[in-house]
């Protein structure tokens, strides 16, 4: 790849900038991705400006994007690398919330004491994401922006009732998790938007969280997973939020099961999943198997929600 001024017209019209770049590569086979230009953004505003070019895409950890390029499932004309934008890798606690910058790597988040204390649900979910090499590069913002329906972090964001900070051509805005996930790999992000941070309510003494997933091998995307949060009121639970993943186009709230857990009736919750969830068949399992597994996970997570934190 060669860094190019995006103000210039596409240089090589169909030739990969990193291939055929001078005589020494002439005659060799092209690289796997389709041709694209590459620019390092200097700031969030610069990234938004660069994204104004038709076919431009943000590059963060590259763990999902580069695979889609190599398989030619996507053909961006320009990659806008945000890895050197200052302040996007901050973790900050303020006003009862924890802000996690878009460029915080999964591994960095897993080591962060602030996340262990203020976002224990995220801390529980992180070890389930891929493998160490993926967690070293993959970012929190990339995971939420990519919005794979079987990914852990979008479900955690939804279960915690968090928010997403976005910078775009019309300025900055914040979108609630409940309004962020629109469809399969579709979110409230527009083509010129940069996700800058996610914000989660910091856990309090009465906060309870639960997390479980079933995957064929550790590190694989889940067949079915469940991220959950609640508030303990003596021996009962209120404000239960259950976000299943791997069961639809987006993470899915199981609202009737939430009510059943608030009424301390776990088995009614398992039955309610019949109405709350409608998982399609996929390569991992049939919808019927996924629904059954969702019930297994609900029982496990209900036990976690009823335990006092260590
Ligand atoms: C083998 C393998 C196994 C994996 N297993 C899991 C798993 O079990 N669970 C899981 O959740 N994930 C898994 N992943 C994906 C991993 O978590 C990725 O890191 C993550 O999905 C994307 O983050 P990224 O920083 O790499 O984003 P990139 O790959 O750089 O980008 C992904 C997409 O998001 C967009 N994007 C990225 N950042 C932003 C931003 N700040 N603003 C706007 N748009 C942005 C990009 O334009 C692109 O469309 C796996 C990946 C691999 C390769």
């Amino acid at each position: 790849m060669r860094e190019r001024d995006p103000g210039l017209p596409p240089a090589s019209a169909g030739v990969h900038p990193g291939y055929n770049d001078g005589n020494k590569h002439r005659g060799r086979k092209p690289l796997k991705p389709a041709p694209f230009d590459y620019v390092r953004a200097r700031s969030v505003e610069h990234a938004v400006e660069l994204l104004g070019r038709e076919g431009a895409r943000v590059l963060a950890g590259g763990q999902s994007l580069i695979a889609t390029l190599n398989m030619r499932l996507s053909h961006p004309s320009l990659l806008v690398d945000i890895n050197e934008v200052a302040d996007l890798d901050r973790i900050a606690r303020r006003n009862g919330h924890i802000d996690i910058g878009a460029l915080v790597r999964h591994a960095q988040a897993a080591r962060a004491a602030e996340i262990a204390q203020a976002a224990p649900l995220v801390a529980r979910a992180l070890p389930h994401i891929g493998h160490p090499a993926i967690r070293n590069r993959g970012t929190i913002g990339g995971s939420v922006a990519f919005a794979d329906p079987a990914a852990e972090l979008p479900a955690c964001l939804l279960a915690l009732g968090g928010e997403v900070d976005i910078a775009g051509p019309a300025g900055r805005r914040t979108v609630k998790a409940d309004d962020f996930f629109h469809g399969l790999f579709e979110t409230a992000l527009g083509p010129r938007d940069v996700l800058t941070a996610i914000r989660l309510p910091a856990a309090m003494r009465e906060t309870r969280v639960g997390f479980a997933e079933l995957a064929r091998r550790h590190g694989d995307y889940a067949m079915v997973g469940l991220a959950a949060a609640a508030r303990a009121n003596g021996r009962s639970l209120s404000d239960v939020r259950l976000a299943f993943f791997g069961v639809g186009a987006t993470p899915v709230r199981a609202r009737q099961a939430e009510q059943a857990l608030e009424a301390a009736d776990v088995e009614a919750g398992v039955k309610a999943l019949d109405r709350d969830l409608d998982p399609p068949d996929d390569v991992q399992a049939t919808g019927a198997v996924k629904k059954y597994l969702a019930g297994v996970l609900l029982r496990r997570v209900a036990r976690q929600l009823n335990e006092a934190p260590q």
Side-chain angles (χ1 to χ4, degrees):
M1 288 179 294
R2 183 183 66 200
E3 193 163 342
R4 286 177 38 78
D5 181 342
L8 297 173
S12 42
V15 178
H16 193 291
Y19 149 78
N20 231 6
D21 186 13
N23 287 332
K24 66 180 178 167
H25 294 300
R26 220 169 275 288
R28 292 201 185 155
K29 285 193 176 161
L31 299 175
K32 286 189 284 185
F36 60 85
D37 286 337
Y38 168 91
V39 178
R40 280 195 197 107
R42 294 184 299 272
S43 63
V44 169
E45 292 69 27
H46 186 212
V48 171
E49 186 192 323
L50 292 167
L51 289 169
R53 196 210 263 194
E54 183 71 27
R57 290 276 289 281
V58 171
L59 172 68
Q63 297 304 295
S64 299
L65 181 57
I66 298 299
T68 67
L69 297 187
N70 285 343
M71 289 186 273
R72 298 210 173 196
L73 293 172
S74 59
H75 309 86
S77 62
L78 168 68
L79 292 191
V80 178
D81 185 342
I82 59 169
N83 282 276
E84 289 184 8
V85 175
D87 293 338
L88 287 186
D89 61 351
R90 287 231 180 120
I91 300 170
R93 228 184 132 158
R94 59 181 150 238
N95 303 331
H97 288 87
I98 181 161
D99 286 7
I100 308 177
L103 278 183
V104 171
R105 314 276 163 188
H106 304 321
Q108 177 191 351
R111 287 191 302 268
E114 302 98 308
I115 291 185
Q117 284 161 10
L121 178 61
V122 172
R124 279 198 203 186
L126 285 166
H128 294 271
I129 299 178
H131 309 286
I134 290 147
R135 296 197 291 271
N136 283 339
R137 289 298 302 163
T139 64
I140 302 282
S143 183
V144 172
F146 192 55
D148 190 298
E152 289 81 1
L153 294 179
C156 292
L157 179 72
L158 186 61
L160 292 168
E163 295 174 337
V164 180
D165 284 344
I166 299 169
R172 305 233 175 193
R173 67 191 194 278
T174 297
V175 176
K176 288 189 182 312
D178 282 305
D179 303 322
F180 183 77
F181 301 102
H182 289 182
L184 190 62
F185 299 108
E186 281 187 20
T187 67
L189 291 168
R192 291 192 62 186
D193 288 335
V194 177
L195 188 161
T196 56
I198 62 167
R199 182 169 311 106
L200 306 170
M204 296 178 294
R205 213 147 55 98
E206 61 274 24
T207 302
R208 299 289 180 269
V209 297
F211 184 89
E213 72 172 50
L214 292 163
R216 285 182 190 272
R217 294 172 306 183
H218 184 87
D220 280 1
Y221 276 106
M223 275 197 280
V224 184
L226 172 57
R231 179 190 293 256
N233 294 321
R235 300 186 66 161
S236 64
L237 297 173
S238 63
D239 300 332
V240 176
R241 290 176 68 102
L242 302 172
F244 279 91
F245 52 103
V247 296
T250 62
V252 179
R253 289 270 306 273
R255 292 178 190 268
Q256 297 189 49
E258 290 171 358
Q259 288 172 15
L261 293 204
E262 286 173 4
D265 191 341
V266 178
E267 287 313 309
V270 173
K271 282 207 187 85
L273 293 180
D274 224 21
R275 302 184 293 278
D276 281 332
L277 305 180
D278 186 14
D281 300 349
D282 65 21
V283 288
Q284 303 238 46
T286 63
V289 166
K290 281 173 177 261
K291 205 180 261 189
Y292 173 78
L293 296 177
V296 172
L297 293 184
L298 183 60
R299 291 189 187 97
R300 290 182 190 173
V301 164
R303 274 197 297 278
Q304 296 173 22
L305 291 176
N306 284 301
E307 282 165 8
Q310 304 294 315

